[in-house]
Amino acid sequence: MATRDYLFFLCATAALFILSGCVAKDPLPQGKVYPSTSINVPFISPRQDLCGSTSIQMVAQYWQANRNYSPKLSLQELDQRTLLPLKGGTLQVELVSTARANGLIAYPLEPNFDALLSELSAHHPVIVLINRSYSWYPMWHYIPVNGYDTTRKEFLTHFSDQPNEPIGIKTFAELWKRSEYWGVVLLPPGEIPASATSKKFLRSVYELEKVGMVEEAIRSYQSALMRWPEDSDIHFILGNSYSRVDRLSEAEESYRRFLLRNPNHPLALNNLALLLSKTGRKTEGLALLDNAVSKDPEVQKMLRETREEILKK
Amino acid sequence: MQISKLIVSSVLSVTLFAQVSWGQIASTELVLGSPSAVSSEAKVSQFVAREDVAKAFEEMGVDPKTVELKLASLSDDEINSIASNIDTLPAGGDGGSIIGAIVFIFIVLLITDILGLTKVFNFTRSVR
């Protein structure tokens, strides 16, 4: 009797899984038309536990062939940085940080099909995290998505040992849903994601700057300025980056452009004052500080210290 | 434990030094609206989080030198996002799924053996 119950339970569960696979609706946003795309991403054969590293390598090679970009890490270094031996894989943050160490901007994809298809249309390959199995027996896997076929409703991916393996959109949706639609766009400096918003993109670039790739970051900030000319914050950010690599006249110009739109901004006045005193214009710098007012005690402290430092020189 | 502490302190000293050499310049972070750890309390909790992650990496079989590399490239936000739940986070790595599939089939057959629906293995005794 008990056996029959078990059997019933097994069949019912199986039926539930099969049915839930069948009733999946078309996950694409309604009313939008996306063109078929096929991005020529080089294929690398899979290796046990190293799909994170391999995915980065494939996308990096694509950009190396198509843009002025050269990877900073070898395949061995990518392997070493991405692998957690006892976990048999790569954490999402590690994929992101390793791609960055390789000189790429890692832009977190909005978790939806619209963002994914927009990037593919712009010929930006996207790395997504999927679960090949169910949540009770997870098999996490990173794959580069290289294209979409509108008529067949299939994504093209370097899924396993075949290049450009097609995956039907419904299956893809099931697998991708299990990672809450996690994906990342890896781009060379100067390139901007099709689905990007200005602040989120600037933050991704700043992450690259923080690990020491200032010149690369500057190239991306410059592109950002072309794409979002109305965002004056980019001038401030550029001013800081130029200062960091001693491109002082460009830094000065950037701060001044920012101040044209935000004349009393205490942070920009502070930074420009320091720059002026560094280039022998102490009086002008101190005069700028007179215009800098803030209610924030932290900022007040910063302004005071800057004044003291300039006076000391 | 000792090693992870050493690594964290060396990484931390590098970051602190970098901040000092920047002088009073207002950082980009202030404009991007994601200010990093400024208060001393936040700095301490950041230190602890880094130490936790370093320890977890070592326990997952990463050699100390690589732990240092990994930590240096992770931002404070990224460290915070994994510090408390690193064991349960997904780690994509499935290049060869054959072993996984074999294990899976083994378990299924084991269950069906126990249920008396199959007799694949010699060591199982059916409940029937």
Side-chain angles (χ1 to χ4, degrees):
Chain A
M1 212 53 185
T3 331
R4 206 182 280 168
D5 286 347
Y6 277 130
L7 197 61
F8 175 74
F9 176 70
L10 267 180
C11 291
T13 330
L16 187 73
F17 284 135
I18 292 162
L19 284 175
S20 65
C22 285
V23 292
K25 279 181 298 214
D26 189 341
L28 291 195
Q30 296 295 308
K32 273 201 162 184
V33 182
Y34 300 93
S36 287
T37 45
S38 174
I39 312 167
N40 193 15
V41 178
F43 174 75
I44 299 173
S45 293
R47 294 163 300 151
Q48 179 85 44
D49 298 345
L50 289 167
C51 62
S53 168
T54 311
S55 297
I56 297 175
Q57 179 79 349
M58 289 191 265
V59 174
Q61 284 188 358
Y62 167 74
W63 288 119
Q64 192 176 14
N66 290 284
R67 290 290 187 283
N68 174 25
Y69 159 78
S70 30
K72 310 243 174 205
L73 303 173
S74 67
L75 186 58
Q76 285 76 15
E77 286 169 312
L78 290 178
D79 290 352
Q80 185 196 15
R81 278 166 178 266
T82 50
L83 182 65
L84 288 178
L86 297 184
K87 237 178 142 99
T90 306
L91 300 176
Q92 287 140 292
V93 290
E94 286 191 294
L95 184 98
V96 166
S97 68
T98 305
R100 218 157 43 209
N102 201 21
L104 293 164
I105 289 150
Y107 184 82
L109 187 82
E110 287 298 319
N112 58 56
F113 278 92
D114 186 45
L116 174 64
L117 287 158
S118 306
E119 294 304 335
L120 294 177
S121 302
H123 282 249
H124 298 157
V126 179
I127 295 176
V128 297
L129 176 69
I130 56 160
N131 180 359
R132 303 170 67 156
S133 175
Y134 287 110
S135 56
W136 44 266
Y137 187 76
M139 292 162 81
W140 298 106
H141 189 37
Y142 294 107
I143 51 168
V145 183
N146 317 319
Y148 179 65
D149 187 327
T150 314
T151 44
R152 304 176 69 123
K153 295 215 165 226
E154 287 170 347
F155 281 100
L156 304 174
T157 69
H158 292 335
F159 191 95
S160 167
D161 48 6
Q162 298 292 320
N164 289 316
E165 193 175 328
I167 304 181
I169 183 145
K170 286 177 184 171
T171 306
F172 185 88
E174 286 295 322
L175 304 185
W176 196 28
K177 189 173 70 186
R178 294 173 195 150
S179 74
E180 287 163 6
Y181 305 104
W182 190 88
V184 65
V185 192
L186 304 183
L187 296 171
E191 191 81 16
I192 298 183
S195 60
T197 62
S198 130
K199 283 294 175 292
K200 213 173 135 192
F201 177 69
L202 293 171
R203 219 167 284 145
S204 309
V205 179
Y206 185 55
E207 293 296 337
L208 191 72
E209 178 179 340
K210 276 203 289 192
V211 291
M213 284 175 249
V214 189
E215 292 292 351
E216 287 86 348
I218 287 175
R219 265 162 67 195
S220 293
Y221 293 139
Q222 287 166 341
S223 307
L225 201 54
M226 310 251 273
R227 168 88 167 259
W228 298 287
E230 71 289 352
D231 187 347
S232 62
D233 286 353
I234 302 170
H235 290 296
F236 177 87
I237 294 168
L238 262 173
N240 277 359
S241 310
Y242 283 133
S243 313
R244 251 184 109 167
V245 287
D246 276 328
R247 289 163 70 171
L248 294 184
S249 60
E250 285 155 299
E252 182 178 342
E253 200 192 322
S254 297
Y255 287 135
R256 287 196 190 280
R257 282 198 183 170
F258 177 80
L259 286 165
L260 273 182
R261 302 229 206 129
N262 315 272
N264 296 312
H265 199 284
L267 302 181
L269 289 169
N270 176 81
N271 291 5
L272 181 57
L274 275 172
L275 190 150
L276 291 176
S277 82
K278 215 173 165 182
T279 49
R281 288 168 286 174
K282 236 168 110 168
T283 341
E284 204 186 326
L286 288 171
L288 281 182
L289 283 183
D290 292 338
N291 298 330
V293 244
S294 170
K295 284 178 186 154
D296 184 338
E298 288 285 333
V299 178
Q300 285 170 354
K301 182 168 163 260
M302 172 189 279
L303 292 168
R304 235 182 0 256
E305 285 174 358
T306 300
R307 185 179 295 276
E308 280 162 21
E309 193 178 302
I310 295 178
L311 285 171
K312 251 191 291 175
K313 277 182 190 164
Chain B
M1 195 105 134
Q2 207 64 354
I3 297 166
S4 62
K5 249 180 209 155
L6 252 174
I7 292 165
V8 171
S9 48
S10 70
V11 169
L12 200 76
S13 62
V14 169
T15 13
L16 284 178
F17 178 73
Q19 275 166 3
V20 169
S21 71
W22 269 63
Q24 267 74 35
I25 284 191
S27 100
T28 298
E29 238 145 304
L30 293 172
V31 166
L32 286 177
S34 58
S36 61
V38 243
S39 69
S40 51
E41 274 166 46
K43 268 189 183 138
V44 169
S45 77
Q46 192 60 49
F47 181 88
V48 173
R50 276 196 183 261
E51 198 180 341
D52 287 349
V53 172
K55 229 184 289 170
F57 279 167
E58 273 178 54
E59 279 164 14
M60 287 170 186
V62 182
D63 68 273
K65 259 210 153 133
T66 313
V67 170
E68 196 171 344
L69 272 178
K70 280 173 184 272
L71 283 194
S73 61
L74 288 170
S75 72
D76 288 351
D77 287 345
E78 285 162 349
I79 289 285
N80 289 334
S81 73
I82 61 171
S84 57
N85 55 353
I86 194 162
D87 292 329
T88 54
L89 286 174
D94 193 12
S97 62
I98 297 160
I99 291 174
I102 288 170
V103 170
F104 184 67
I105 291 167
F106 171 77
I107 290 169
V108 169
L109 289 177
L110 195 65
I111 292 170
T112 51
D113 260 27
I114 291 167
L115 293 178
L117 302 170
T118 56
K119 190 76 192 78
V120 178
F121 307 109
N122 292 329
F123 56 83
T124 51
R125 293 283 176 273
S126 153
V127 291
R128 282 195 184 196

